[in-house]
Amino acid sequence: MLNELQNQLEKFFKVDKIVINIINEIEKNLLPKFDAIEEIKTYNQFKVLHAMQNCKLGSGDFGWNTGYGYGDVGREKVERIYADIFKAESALVRPSIASGTHAISLVFSGILRPGDELLYITGSPYDTMQKVIGIKGNEPGNLREFKIGYNQVDLVNGHIDIENTLKQINHNTKIVAIQRSTGYSDRNAISITEMKYAISEIKKTNPEILLFIDNCYGEFTQTKEPIEIGADIVAGSLIKNPGGGIAVSGGYIVGDKRYIDTIANRLTAPGLGKDCGLTFGTNRNTLQGLFYAPYVVAEALKGAILMGEVYHKLGFETTPSINDERNDIVQAIKFDDPKKVIEFCKGIQESGAVDSYVTPEAWDMPGYENKVIMASAGFIEGSSIEISADAPLREPYYVYYQGGTNYAQCKLAVIKTVDNLYKKNLIDINKVQVR
Ligand SMILES: *Cc1c(COP(=O)(O)O)cnc(C)c1O
């Protein structure tokens, strides 16, 4: 490392030399892993670039109109480009989709009818989805109130239990849902290969069932996306991977036209569907974010690998581990101690560009069961493709670290979190063996 760089880290960020040295040593061994990520990045960058060329994205497409928003060319371009990238017939991409939860909720409420059953085959769904489905809380308008049934098949050793899945499918089952990313759990993300196998087994005996993938945090981590391996409908959030840290808001849903049209009727109104809905000048940022997304995801992945490996060497359990294939950008670390969680989150916040001076505190976030502490220090509020960490304050005190739109900042975050824990005597840095 450059002397200037070392001095800068000590002077600007007040971190201890011993912390910097150890992290530099660990980083050296990770370079081959980084090379593999660069290749996936390049593939996905060409995919996105080609989609933009193929759809003839032009400088005139960034305008927007008022009122009903009929014939908003920018909105239509955005949706065609998304459909192209995700290899889908159609797409619904709107700033009015408030979040990933909203996008997924739209899929379920758009497609499911009274008496239908939704079957999750990746265990307990993401916290916010439990309220949507009606297995937690009693929110008016949840799926249960509309007499939509729910069942789930738990993962076995972190993998889809196909045998049990096929047993649980009945004549009411309309959607089988796979949550690709780990959520607030302790498993790896489901790989594209595993999803492909599960989908083909389900379709073999039940061709009419719709396979839905919650793709939050999974976009651009691999060369293929879920529609390419047989999924029917895929949804995610623009304040995560595909927004590239630049999209100001929104969610996306991709799939066959008939499903997207039905879901669009839920978003707007039956008969209006995709044909209206203002974009409020967001099209340029949505597309610029999408353009940067493969690069940003690669930077975040390299950051996650460094973070995971450093904490592994410090003696913590980490998921995924160094040799696991990455199918989401999340790095989970098990701290077993709320004090460590809090120091870690402070370190993330302190390495941010925005709100770096504030101290994150646990709070009752809408949609979540336990108090959640979140470090979020990006330009887009709550964006988790930018550097961030969140931890529900419950045993065994996992922290989920993700994002970072450039690797240098991710590295600073690793250094800052370790330095905080070191200075509070919460870790034993001398036990780290680099090789
Ligand atoms: C983040 C996330 C969601 C919800 O997305 P929000 O934008 O936070 O509402 C759903 N599922 C998974 C797996 C997620 O990671």
Side-chain angles (χ1 to χ4, degrees), residues 98-102 104 126 128-129 179-183 214-217 237-240 250 330 368 384:
S99 63
T101 305
H102 186 192
I104 300 164
Y126 192 76
T128 56
M129 296 317 301
Q179 181 184 303
R180 186 176 179 185
S181 176
T182 165
D214 170 355
N215 206 26
C216 286
Y217 286 141
S237 166
L238 300 201
I239 42 185
K240 293 182 177 173
V330 181
Y368 292 82
S384 48

Side-chain angles (χ1 to χ4, degrees), residues 13-25:
F13 303 110
K14 312 281 180 284
V15 289
D16 202 290
K17 200 179 245 137
I18 182 176
V19 171
I20 302 171
N21 288 339
I22 283 174
I23 290 169
N24 278 336
E25 279 307 304

Side-chain angles (χ1 to χ4, degrees), residues 132-185:
V132 171
I133 296 163
I135 46 177
K136 281 268 170 70
N138 208 3
E139 293 293 327
N142 66 20
L143 297 181
R144 187 159 44 84
E145 192 179 84
F146 286 92
K147 308 271 183 291
I148 291 159
Y150 174 75
N151 190 10
Q152 84 186 33
V153 175
D154 288 331
L155 296 170
V156 175
N157 300 323
H159 294 287
I160 295 172
D161 182 349
I162 266 298
E163 210 180 289
N164 193 15
T165 295
L166 295 176
K167 271 191 219 143
Q168 297 303 321
I169 290 173
N170 62 53
H171 61 277
N172 291 326
T173 311
K174 186 147 178 196
I175 293 183
V176 168
I178 294 175
Q179 181 184 303
R180 186 176 179 185
S181 176
T182 165
Y184 288 144
S185 78

Side-chain angles (χ1 to χ4, degrees), residues 74-93:
R75 184 187 68 218
E76 285 164 13
K77 260 315 151 61
V78 168
E79 291 180 339
R80 274 177 50 207
I81 290 169
Y82 260 80
D84 187 313
I85 290 169
F86 287 91
K87 311 284 188 288
E89 208 173 77
S90 182
L92 191 62
V93 187

